Amino acid sequence: MRIGLKSAAGAFSLLLVAGCGAGAADDGRIGTAAVVSPHAQQVYDEIQAQPPARQRAKAVQLADEEGSLEVYTSLTDDVADAVTKAFRRQFPQIKISMFRGNSETILQRILQESQARKLGADAVESDFLEMSSLDSQRALARYTGPGQDRVAASSRFPDWTADRFNVFLPAWNTDLVKAADVPRSWEALADPRYKGKITLEPTDSDWYENVTHYWLTHGKSQAQVDELWRRIVANSHVTKGHTTIMALLGAGQTPLDSMNYTYITEQARLKGAPVAYRLPDGTNPLPAFPRPNGVGMLRGAQHPAAAWLFYDWMLDEGQRVLAGLHLTPSTKVPGDTSLQGIHLVPFDVKGLTDTTTDWDKKYDEQLRGVSSARGNG
C-alpha cells in the first residue's frame, strides 16, 4: 500500500461525478459515474453470449478488426516485456502497447483521463488496492469468460480477477545469516540479536497491516503487538524499493530484509546472489501473506474485444509466462514451485480496503526517526 492512495481514490470518485456528460453512466452507487462506452459493453456482451468454448474465438475475430490494445500495468519492466512479447507472438495482428508505472501512478493516470473523459486504457493489471478502487467506482466491466473457472473462488472479485500473487516473507543473505539464525517467526524480528541488521521498506504498510491483523487474531493483545513493532523498528534501517533492498542484500551490504516479495528473492538467487527465503530444507515456517494482483477490462475501452482477449489470456497462457519468471500465478501451472514449502495464510483484503483505518499513516508513524540503510551488514 502506498501513502495517500485512499485520498486519491476519494478524489477519483469526485472527479468521476464531475464528468457525467456523454459517455458516462451512473450505476446506482452513491457518488460514482465511470467512463462508459455503449459500444464496449455491446462487444463484451456479444463475446460472453457465446458458449464458453467459443468465446475466445469470437474475441479474436473482433479484436483482429480492432487491431490495437492499450494496457496499463504495474508489472515490473522485465515481466511486462515478457507478457507483451508472448501476447504479440500469439496474436501478431493486434498491436499491444503497455504503459508501465507503479500502482498508484496507474490509478492516478486513469483518474486524470476519466476527468478529461478521454480514457486511454483498454485493460489494466495492477495491485489489489488499485483494482478494488476501480471496481468500487464501477470503472471495470464484468468478465464472465472461461478464465473464471481456472481460478479459486477467493481469487474472483466482482469486476476483476487475481492473476498473480506477491508473497510476503523475509529474505536473508546466506553468507551473513546462517540457517540457525534465520527468523522462524515474525515475532523473531524483534529479537535483540537482529539489532541493526534488518532493512524495512517504507511503503510496506500492507505487510504491516497483515502481520498486525495476524497477531491480533492469534491471541496477542494490542499492547503486545505495539511492543513487538517498537522492538522490530528499533532493530531496523529503511530503504525504499524492493528491488533496491534486494540488491543491497545480494551484495552483502545488508543481512536481512524484514519482508520482500518471494519472486524478487528467487530471481536474485537464480542470478547467483547468496539470498534465500527458504531454509536449506526448502521450507519456511512463517505465515506467508499472498497479496492478490489482478486484471480487469475498462468499461470505456476503445478496443473492448482486445481487452477481453487480454483478460482471458492472462488467466490462461499468461499464467505460464508469469510462472516462467518465478512469479506466483493464480492458477495451477505445471512446474510452478513458487509456493513449495510455504505456509500460506489469508491476505487481509478487507482490513486494507476499510477506509476507517489509514494503514499508510500508521506505518509511517512507526518508522519516524529510523535511519536509512547504508550497508551496515
Side-chain angles (χ1 to χ4, degrees):
M1 194 185 298
R2 278 69 50 194
I3 302 299
L5 183 54
K6 289 182 180 177
S7 61
F12 184 47
S13 178
L14 293 174
L15 289 171
L16 287 176
V17 173
C20 291
D26 187 347
D27 277 34
R29 297 189 187 184
I30 296 174
T32 62
V35 177
V36 175
S37 162
H39 169 70
Q41 191 58 55
Q42 181 180 352
V43 171
Y44 294 142
D45 290 343
E46 183 177 355
I47 293 170
Q48 295 178 152
Q50 303 292 318
R54 298 181 184 176
Q55 290 183 16
R56 171 69 77 89
K58 186 64 175 179
V60 170
Q61 174 195 338
L62 296 176
D64 285 355
E65 297 171 4
E66 294 172 348
S68 296
L69 170 65
E70 183 72 36
V71 180
Y72 291 2
T73 183
S74 60
L75 287 164
T76 55
D77 287 333
D78 59 331
V79 180
D81 288 346
V83 167
T84 299
K85 290 176 182 177
F87 189 86
R88 283 176 179 163
R89 281 196 301 270
Q90 192 164 347
F91 307 107
Q93 66 277 34
I94 301 171
K95 183 181 179 181
I96 179 174
S97 298
M98 280 201 178
F99 169 78
R100 206 211 71 76
N102 61 38
S103 52
E104 59 184 334
T105 299
I106 298 300
L107 182 62
Q108 183 69 19
R109 181 162 176 148
I110 294 176
L111 182 159
Q112 292 170 342
E113 292 177 350
S114 297
Q115 182 184 21
R117 316 310 298 170
K118 293 182 180 180
L119 188 64
D122 300 308
V124 60
E125 201 281 355
S126 193
D127 294 352
F128 87 98
L129 196 61
E130 286 74 17
M131 299 303 294
S132 295
S133 180
L134 292 171
D135 193 357
S136 70
Q137 305 307 325
R138 302 297 289 120
L140 303 176
R142 182 67 49 93
Y143 167 87
T144 60
Q148 293 284 48
D149 295 332
R150 303 182 191 118
V151 301
S154 59
S155 296
R156 303 173 198 164
F157 298 87
D159 290 327
W160 64 280
T161 305
D163 61 345
R164 59 187 171 101
F165 297 97
N166 284 350
V167 182
F168 298 177
L169 279 174
W172 55 91
N173 183 295
T174 55
D175 291 337
L176 301 177
V177 180
K178 302 306 179 186
D181 297 324
V182 170
R184 261 66 172 183
S185 67
W186 291 112
E187 293 90 331
L189 296 176
D191 194 302
R193 64 178 166 163
Y194 297 121
K195 181 71 174 179
K197 296 183 176 181
I198 297 175
T199 302
L200 295 171
E201 207 287 335
T203 66
D204 278 345
S205 56
D206 43 5
W207 165 72
Y208 170 69
E209 190 280 341
N210 270 272
V211 175
T212 296
H213 178 262
Y214 183 85
W215 282 340
L216 290 173
T217 56
H218 286 75
K220 287 184 171 54
S221 68
Q222 186 64 59
Q224 289 173 318
V225 170
D226 291 344
E227 177 60 16
L228 281 167
W229 281 119
R230 185 193 67 78
R231 290 163 54 194
I232 290 172
V233 170
N235 284 344
S236 303
H237 300 275
V238 297
T239 296
K240 185 171 177 59
H242 295 99
T243 302
T244 299
I245 65 175
M246 180 53 59
L248 291 171
L249 190 76
Q253 296 182 37
T254 56
L256 176 64
D257 291 350
S258 61
M259 187 286 285
N260 211 323
Y261 305 140
T262 55
Y263 84 90
I264 291 179
T265 309
E266 183 65 7
Q267 287 177 342
R269 186 188 72 82
L270 291 171
K271 291 178 181 177
V275 297
Y277 67 91
R278 294 184 178 105
L279 294 166
D281 66 359
T283 68
N284 189 316
L286 274 74
F289 306 104
R291 185 183 71 197
N293 302 264
V295 60
M297 53 194 189
L298 277 297
R299 299 178 70 200
Q302 297 181 50
H303 309 101
W308 190 98
L309 180 60
F310 180 77
Y311 195 135
D312 190 69
W313 183 86
M314 283 299 294
L315 298 179
D316 191 352
E317 296 94 332
Q319 294 287 283
R320 295 191 288 275
V321 177
L322 298 177
L325 293 169
H326 310 288
L327 278 74
T328 300
S330 62
T331 67
K332 292 183 178 179
V333 176
D336 172 38
T337 60
S338 62
L339 296 178
Q340 186 174 312
I342 302 303
H343 172 51
L344 286 183
V345 296
F347 186 90
D348 187 25
V349 170
K350 183 177 184 299
L352 285 165
T353 53
D354 182 357
T355 57
T356 63
T357 303
D358 191 338
W359 288 98
D360 292 336
K361 181 179 179 181
K362 289 171 70 72
Y363 186 55
D364 185 58
E365 289 172 348
Q366 288 279 356
L367 300 184
R368 286 179 185 171
V370 181
S371 62
S372 297
R374 293 185 177 88
N376 50 33

